Amino acid sequence: MPDLSPKTPRSTTASNSDASPPREPAAAAIGSCAPSHAWRDTCTELGIKAKKTRPYRPQTNGKIERFHRTMADGWAFSKHYNSESARRNALPAWLHFYNHHRPHTAIGKIAPINRISNNLPGHYS
């Protein structure tokens, strides 16, 4: 997953070259009223098709809402940060923990990286 933290210039993120695995559509619970085009532009730059969820449809918003709660509990508000930049600087380490070390009950109490490492192009399970 490319590091898309605010301090990282977008030109240093991974591109969707022929060697990259195919990108899944990215769903987001944002509407046409979202004032920023950064998310849309980043998806376009990485070759990801952006899909918006239907309003008032909790079945499609549930996973992202749960992820937001997990982020709030595990990173954003889990400890006192002296500044917003300190909070932002802690995000990459938390994302690494979340994706590489934290067991996820929905996928058999393994870390997501363990699930996808067996499902690379040419190694479908």
Side-chain angles (χ1 to χ4, degrees):
M1 177 175 196
D3 179 10
L4 297 177
S5 60
K7 65 179 181 142
T8 303
R10 289 188 25 213
S11 62
T12 63
T13 60
S15 65
N16 193 12
S17 67
D18 293 334
S20 299
R23 306 261 186 209
E24 294 290 327
I30 60 173
S32 58
C33 63
S36 173
H37 298 288
W39 187 79
R40 181 201 63 200
D41 295 344
T42 300
C43 286
T44 301
E45 190 176 296
L46 295 174
I48 298 170
K49 181 181 178 186
K51 291 172 50 176
K52 295 178 183 165
T53 61
R54 288 179 15 206
Y56 309 106
R57 182 87 176 152
Q59 293 89 334
T60 56
N61 293 336
K63 288 182 182 179
I64 194 63
E65 295 298 334
R66 181 63 181 124
F67 179 68
H68 288 164
R69 180 177 165 197
T70 301
M71 281 185 68
D73 293 345
W75 160 70
F77 304 112
S78 64
K79 67 179 210 169
H80 174 76
Y81 296 96
N82 290 327
S83 65
E84 182 58 26
S85 64
R87 181 190 323 265
R88 288 181 186 167
N89 290 337
L91 180 59
W94 184 83
L95 287 173
H96 175 83
F97 168 76
Y98 180 85
N99 288 313
H100 292 261
H101 305 288
R102 181 182 177 272
H104 293 236
T105 56
I107 57 173
K109 296 186 179 182
I110 62 171
I113 194 69
N114 295 330
R115 182 171 179 190
I116 65 166
S117 64
N118 293 330
N119 202 19
L120 297 173
H123 298 93
Y124 299 108
S125 54

